[in-house]
């Protein structure tokens, strides 16, 4: 039973007499525990809401279009508390963060409901058999952090004695018709090499219900005191991992007509290998895991260049980026300069002093590193950064400094653009809409 915070004016529920502060007990006779129950049972065209109002129990019938929202708002999006992760993974990035950052950055969530609703990856260690049965009954596809299919190794990697036995849920979900996207955080000397082969083989046996797999390299910061020793990938080990992934891609292509497993862009950068063409990534099923982002950026930028018109005269900008993306951003900046007379675009690599120089992605660059490494430089008309450096839908960096803070310290206008070739070119040219 959950409390209704408010009822939208003119909504189906509001028109039928549901009030702010009512308690929702059930829909069509089904108990409502959380947002999944609510969304699933409220999708029908005719629903009966069991309402508790004070000491009264009221049944309210609502007729609406299929999938139309009832118009009810609850205290929290999930209708109860977010589930905290029960694991202590050896590679957990949150454990490698410095003290003193905002509290929300230290919360480890492992909530399967956020997998369905927002695309989060979950380990399944928070779930019980009844949860798996509900997922299958509701036909909810899910994103799973697998890491390894070796039960004993999964227990060690996740520091959870139940992590190995929960692997059975992956097979149950696949056999129940659920489509799964899988993630493997790969750690050199732990779950790479033959262990990676085992994981890819085991997941391959569940295809086509395993719809995609992403292999991403572990991130190692300088804040690992007291934690399990971990190594970053080298050019050699990254290349060896790419070779293993290629081996299974070829096998899956023969059997199923799809590569299914994809390495994140970082592997190609670390191994100093060329970013594959767009066809390699098929329909970019693991884009949000950093798989194919650079190829998409390059292709979009080239398309934008071909169509762009600009009469901006002289313009000089500086792009701040991480070490890993630096070669690609330099390539794009050069193409823009060749295309437009009067444009000068300088690219600056920002060393990650905050987390340590082993962290090379742009999304983890902080404002204080930007300020320290760009202060005193002639930045030009504008400083450009990736919006991945900022908290979603805000102007706040990981270290809680803001875009205005950086602008004030550097004395220059700052513009953030998405990881999108069209937006990047607009930013370089100073085009606004």
């Amino acid at each position: 039973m959950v409390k209704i915070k408010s009822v939208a004016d003119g909504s189906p529920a509001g028109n039928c007499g549901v009030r702010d502060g009512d308690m929702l007990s059930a829909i069509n006779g089904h108990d409502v525990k959380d947002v999944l129950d609510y969304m699933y049972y409220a999708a029908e065209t005719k629903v009966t809401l069991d309402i508790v109002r004070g000491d009264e129990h009221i049944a309210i019938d609502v007729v609406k279009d299929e999938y139309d929202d009832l118009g009810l708002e609850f205290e929290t999006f999930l209708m109860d508390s977010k589930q905290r992760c029960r694991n202590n993974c050896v590679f957990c990035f949150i454990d490698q963060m410095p003290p003193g950052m905002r509290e929300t950055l230290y919360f480890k969530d492992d909530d399967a409901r956020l997998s369905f609703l927002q695309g989060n990856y979950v380990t399944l260690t928070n779930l019980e058999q009844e949860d798996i049965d509900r997922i299958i009954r509701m036909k909810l596809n899910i994103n799973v952090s697998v890491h390894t299919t070796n039960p004993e190794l999964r227990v060690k990697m996740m520091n959870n004695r139940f992590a190995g036995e929960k692997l059975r849920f992956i097979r149950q979900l696949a056999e129940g018709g659920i489509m799964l996207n899988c993630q493997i955080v790969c750690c050199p000397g732990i779950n790479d090499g033959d262990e990676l082969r085992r994981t890819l083989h085991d997941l391959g046996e569940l295809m086509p219900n395993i719809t995609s797999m992403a292999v991403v390299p572990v991130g190692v910061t300088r804040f690992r005191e007291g934690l399990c020793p971990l190594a970053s990938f080298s050019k050699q080990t990254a290349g060896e991992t790419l070779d293993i992934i290629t081996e299974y891609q070829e096998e899956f292509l023969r059997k199923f007509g799809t590569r299914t497993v994809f390495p994140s862009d970082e592997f190609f950068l670390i191994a100093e290998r060329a970013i594959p063409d767009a066809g390699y990534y098929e329909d970019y099923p693991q884009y949000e895991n950093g798989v194919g982002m650079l190829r998409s950026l390059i292709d979009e930028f080239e398309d934008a260049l071909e169509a762009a018109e600009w009469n901006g005269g002289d313009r000089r900008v500086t792009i701040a980026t991480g070490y890993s993306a630096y070669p690609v951003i330099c390539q794009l900046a050069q193409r823009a300069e060749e295309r437009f007379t009067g444009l000068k675009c300088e690219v600056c690599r920002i060393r990650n002093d905050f987390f340590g120089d082993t962290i090379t992605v742009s999304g983890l660059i902080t404002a204080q590193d930007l300020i320290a490494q760009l202060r005193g430089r002639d930045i030009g008309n504008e400083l450009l950064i990736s919006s991945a450096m900022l908290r979603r839908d805000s102007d706040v960096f990981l270290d809680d400094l803001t875009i205005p803070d950086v602008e004030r310290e550097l004395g220059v206008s700052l513009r953030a653009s998405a990881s999108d070739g069209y937006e990047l070119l607009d930013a370089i040219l100073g085009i606004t809409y």
Side-chain angles (χ1 to χ4, degrees):
M1 189 162 56
V2 289
K3 183 178 181 179
I4 299 169
K5 180 181 178 181
S6 63
V7 183
D9 292 339
S11 65
N15 291 338
C16 292
V18 181
R19 302 176 187 173
D20 297 356
D22 285 348
M23 303 294 293
L24 176 62
S25 175
I27 299 177
N28 288 345
H30 301 284
D31 291 342
V32 175
K33 299 183 296 183
D34 61 18
V35 65
L36 294 186
D37 288 332
Y38 174 71
M39 294 174 67
Y40 185 74
Y41 296 120
E44 299 179 21
T45 57
K46 297 179 181 180
V47 297
T48 298
L49 307 180
D50 292 343
I51 297 293
V52 177
R53 183 180 297 159
D55 294 330
E56 292 184 273
H57 287 258
I58 308 168
I60 296 179
D61 294 324
V62 180
V63 178
K64 62 180 185 60
D65 290 338
E66 190 175 16
Y67 300 115
D68 271 5
D69 185 49
L70 286 168
L72 306 181
E73 184 177 343
F74 303 91
E75 296 292 339
T76 65
F77 170 65
L78 293 173
M79 298 169 63
D80 66 357
S81 300
K82 190 183 295 185
Q83 293 180 356
R84 182 179 291 272
C85 182
R86 296 178 180 177
N87 312 309
N88 288 292
C89 298
V90 296
F91 51 81
C92 180
F93 195 84
I94 293 175
D95 290 340
Q96 302 180 72
M97 293 205 300
M101 302 180 73
R102 60 179 178 271
E103 186 176 345
T104 54
L105 291 176
Y106 299 103
F107 182 82
K108 303 179 185 180
D109 85 77
D110 193 21
D111 199 314
R113 296 166 300 183
L114 294 177
S115 180
F116 317 127
L117 300 171
Q118 297 180 353
N120 293 19
Y121 279 77
V122 293
T123 66
L124 306 180
T125 58
N126 265 333
L127 304 186
E128 303 300 334
Q129 187 61 54
E130 64 185 85
D131 300 309
I132 300 301
D133 294 340
R134 179 169 77 148
I135 293 170
I136 294 172
R137 183 176 69 254
M138 292 183 173
K139 297 179 173 59
L140 300 171
N141 298 331
I142 188 170
N143 300 332
V144 180
S145 290
V146 180
H147 309 315
T148 178
T149 54
N150 178 336
E152 293 79 16
L153 180 58
R154 197 169 197 250
V155 167
K156 292 178 181 178
M157 289 189 70
M158 300 172 69
N159 280 305
N160 183 328
R161 64 192 179 95
F162 301 108
E165 67 181 59
K166 299 289 185 177
L167 285 169
R168 75 183 190 278
F169 288 161
I170 297 176
R171 179 170 291 277
Q172 287 182 25
L173 290 167
E175 292 177 348
I178 302 303
M179 311 305 286
L180 299 94
N181 295 305
C182 297
Q183 176 192 71
I184 300 161
V185 175
C186 205
C187 306
I190 299 179
N191 64 333
D192 60 346
D194 286 341
E195 288 293 346
L196 178 59
R197 287 188 175 91
R198 171 176 176 163
T199 299
L200 298 182
H201 172 270
D202 291 347
L203 293 177
E205 290 193 328
L206 300 178
M207 290 173 64
N209 288 79
I210 302 295
T211 56
S212 70
M213 310 175 216
V215 182
V216 300
V218 63
V220 180
T221 81
R222 63 187 178 92
F223 299 99
R224 287 201 60 83
E225 185 176 350
L227 299 177
C228 172
L230 281 181
S232 298
F233 275 92
S234 64
K235 178 180 178 180
Q236 177 180 337
T237 55
E240 291 169 352
T241 300
L242 285 174
D243 292 341
I244 292 172
I245 294 170
T246 299
E247 171 188 336
Y248 281 87
Q249 286 179 326
E250 292 172 352
E251 177 182 333
F252 295 154
L253 269 172
R254 287 193 305 270
K255 291 181 177 179
F256 306 104
T258 172
R259 289 179 177 83
T260 305
V261 57
F262 302 92
S264 72
D265 295 351
E266 289 176 81
F267 277 111
F268 293 103
L269 297 171
I270 297 169
E272 299 178 15
R273 296 187 184 181
I275 301 294
D277 291 337
Y280 174 90
Y281 295 103
E282 300 176 6
D283 58 353
Y284 292 88
Q286 289 276 354
Y287 182 85
E288 296 301 326
N289 247 325
V291 176
M293 279 188 170
L294 288 178
R295 170 46 60 195
S296 179
L297 177 68
I298 293 167
D299 290 350
E300 288 171 348
F301 194 85
E302 289 294 335
D303 289 343
L305 269 180
E306 186 175 340
E309 295 180 2
W310 184 66
N311 297 308
D314 292 332
R315 176 171 168 81
R316 184 171 179 273
V317 298
T318 297
I319 304 176
T321 187
Y323 270 54
S324 59
Y326 176 76
V328 172
I329 302 300
C330 284
Q331 170 191 334
L332 302 184
Q334 182 179 348
R335 292 283 293 119
E337 288 179 342
E338 293 169 351
R339 175 76 166 76
F340 300 107
T341 303
L343 176 66
K344 179 64 178 176
C345 187
E346 182 179 358
V347 183
C348 288
R349 290 183 296 184
I350 302 299
R351 184 182 61 254
N352 201 319
D353 292 331
F354 188 86
F355 287 110
D357 59 13
T358 54
I359 300 299
T360 60
V361 296
S362 298
L364 292 174
I365 291 174
T366 58
Q368 57 193 268
D369 280 344
L370 284 174
I371 293 167
Q373 295 174 47
L374 295 176
R375 181 180 276 125
R377 298 184 66 137
D378 182 8
I379 291 172
N381 302 98
E382 207 165 23
L383 173 63
L384 311 180
I385 65 168
S386 167
S387 59
M389 299 181 194
L390 305 171
R391 194 191 311 180
R392 181 176 295 180
D393 299 324
S394 79
D395 64 355
V396 182
F397 290 82
L398 274 172
D399 54 1
D400 283 337
L401 296 179
T402 64
I403 285 179
D405 292 331
V406 177
E407 291 178 325
R408 183 178 60 254
E409 290 293 327
L410 296 180
V412 68
S413 174
L414 187 153
R415 177 167 170 170
S417 66
S419 299
D420 173 291
Y422 295 94
E423 285 198 28
L424 176 58
L425 183 60
D426 285 345
I428 289 173
L429 299 180
I431 296 173
T432 57
Y433 297 96

